[in-house]
């Protein structure tokens, strides 16, 4: 059984899930020591690796922020001391917060060859569908294509949430119907908000209202829903302004401190609108938000009227 594991990627949910899977595989519950390669001396980690217990309990050592395995090492660590201990009887997990390991380095390539590698990259819309299918298979759940499409369009991109929802479905039935899944699945709010933004800009009041009601079923307050919608449009506005300044995707992501994939998606959407149009839509939401907070209109009835008014003013 492999005793060294390398987890690479920046998705914290995925990292957490893989760590739990490793613990389960080795039947470890509490005997876990955690280090940070950016804060703890490597000598402390090595001393722990070399300290054999008189007891038979397996021990797991986790070292976070192992950037010495990537192209940009922000630690004082080196690979050699871990290679010397590649035959350790302890479970050693090196967690590298980088999208890929720098296997151009001979030592990194060598330790990768004697370790079990786990990718912990963030899901996107394409990889999410494969991930859902893998989890369905893992839990022995079979669904038809229509049910699968419904699930993937509403489960969001958090791997831990996806696993929890599929586990819940598997307990209910190994062959759930679409209706079963619709009743059991907790819809991921951030997934619907993107569709809500699209409905808003296309002035599709009926669809906008449908998404609003979905949020209300999740007990979200109208003010919170409007704020969530406004925040997405505000981000789109910021992206559009920076695009107008001729800035590239990487620069925009850096300036807005945002995920590059999120910036890429919003750049595609922003091409359909001018910064002036986005600012105007923000002002509409701000005015509606103010009327709600001042109690001039009923929150739910007010949003319905807002949607109808949006359709009446459609170009």
């Amino acid at each position: 059984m492999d005793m060294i594991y390398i987890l690479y990627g920046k998705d914290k949910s995925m990292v957490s899930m893989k760590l739990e899977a490793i613990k389960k595989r080795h039947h470890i519950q509490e005997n876990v020591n955690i280090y940070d390669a950016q804060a703890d001396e490597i000598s402390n980690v090595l001393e722990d690796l070399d300290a054999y217990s008189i007891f038979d309990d397996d021990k797991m050592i986790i070292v976070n922020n192992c950037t010495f395995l990537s192209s940009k090492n922000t630690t004082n660590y080196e690979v050699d001391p871990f290679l010397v201990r590649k035959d350790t009887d302890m479970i050693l997990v090196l967690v590298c917060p980088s999208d890929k390991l720098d296997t151009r380095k001979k030592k990194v390539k060598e330790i990768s060859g004697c370790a079990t590698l786990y990718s912990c990259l963030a899901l996107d819309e394409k990889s999410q569908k494969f991930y859902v299918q893998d989890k369905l298979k893992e839990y022995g759940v079979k669904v038809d294509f229509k049910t699968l499409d419904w699930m993937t369009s509403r489960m969001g991109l958090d791997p831990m949430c996806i696993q929890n929802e599929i586990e819940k479905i598997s307990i209910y039935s190994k062959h759930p119907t679409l209706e079963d899944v619709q009743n059991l699945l907790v819809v991921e709010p951030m997934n619907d908000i993107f569709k809500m933004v699209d409905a808003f800009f296309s002035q599709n009041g009926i669809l906008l209202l449908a998404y609003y009601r979905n949020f209300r079923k999740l007990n979200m307050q109208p003010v919170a829903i409007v704020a969530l919608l406004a925040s997405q449009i505000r981000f789109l506005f910021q992206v559009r302004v920076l695009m107008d300044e001729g800035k590239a995707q990487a620069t925009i992501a850096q300036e807005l401190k945002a995920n590059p994939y999120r910036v890429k998606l919003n750049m595609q959407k922003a091409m359909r609108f001018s910064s002036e149009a986005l600012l105007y839509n923000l002002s509409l939401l701000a005015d509606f938000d103010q009327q709600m907070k001042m109690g001039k209109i009923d929150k739910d009835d007010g949003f319905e009227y807002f949607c109808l008014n949006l359709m009446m003013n459609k170009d």
Side-chain angles (χ1 to χ4, degrees), residues 47-194:
E47 184 179 342
D48 201 358
L49 272 171
D50 294 336
Y52 289 94
S53 171
I54 61 174
F55 302 104
D56 292 329
D57 295 338
D58 286 332
K59 181 165 72 173
M60 181 170 167
I61 295 175
I62 301 171
V63 186
N64 291 316
N65 292 316
C66 294
T67 55
F68 59 93
L69 298 173
S70 69
S71 59
K72 294 182 180 179
N73 185 7
T74 58
T75 74
N76 294 320
Y77 284 40
E78 295 180 354
V79 180
D80 278 333
F82 295 104
L83 273 173
V84 171
R85 294 163 175 81
K86 64 183 180 180
D87 296 322
T88 178
D89 291 329
M90 297 185 191
I91 297 93
L92 173 64
V93 184
L94 305 177
V95 183
C96 179
S98 175
D99 288 345
K100 60 182 179 179
L101 303 176
D102 191 0
T103 50
R104 295 172 300 177
K105 298 175 183 176
K106 183 179 178 181
K107 299 295 183 181
V108 174
K109 186 175 183 179
E110 189 175 345
I111 197 168
S112 298
C114 58
T116 299
L117 306 183
Y118 283 135
S119 169
C120 298
L121 302 178
L123 297 176
D124 55 28
E125 289 191 7
K126 183 178 180 180
S127 61
Q128 182 250 31
K129 188 167 186 176
F130 291 109
Y131 183 79
V132 170
Q133 289 174 316
D134 286 342
K135 286 298 170 183
L136 287 170
K137 185 177 180 180
E138 179 182 330
Y139 284 92
V141 178
K142 295 184 178 180
V143 297
D144 57 32
F145 289 114
K146 185 177 180 180
T147 304
L148 177 63
D149 286 341
W150 192 91
M151 291 174 66
T152 55
S153 67
R154 289 164 175 81
M155 295 190 86
L157 302 176
D158 187 312
M160 189 170 290
C161 289
I162 292 173
Q163 176 170 299
N164 290 341
E165 291 301 307
I166 291 177
E167 182 178 11
K168 179 174 64 179
I169 292 169
S170 72
I171 294 171
Y172 178 81
S173 173
K174 297 297 184 181
H175 296 84
T177 64
L178 175 58
E179 185 179 0
D180 292 334
V181 172
Q182 289 173 335
N183 290 329
L184 291 167
L185 188 67
V186 175
V187 176
E188 170 58 47
M190 285 309 297
N191 193 50
D192 267 0
I193 197 63
F194 299 136

Side-chain angles (χ1 to χ4, degrees), residues 215-273:
F215 283 121
R216 293 294 283 135
K217 288 178 182 178
L218 296 173
N219 294 320
M220 285 186 68
Q221 292 300 311
V223 172
I225 299 171
V226 172
L228 195 57
L229 180 59
S231 70
Q232 296 301 315
I233 297 173
R234 188 179 301 110
F235 183 79
L236 195 62
F237 169 71
Q238 293 171 326
V239 169
R240 177 74 254 190
V241 169
L242 293 174
M243 286 173 63
D244 290 341
E245 293 175 2
K247 294 181 178 177
Q249 178 186 328
T251 305
I252 294 175
Q254 185 176 12
E255 289 198 21
L256 297 181
K257 296 181 175 59
N259 185 293
Y261 182 71
R262 183 189 179 197
V263 170
K264 179 182 177 181
L265 292 180
N266 277 272
M267 286 180 73
Q268 294 170 353
K269 290 180 181 179
M271 293 294 292
R272 296 158 45 198
F273 310 101

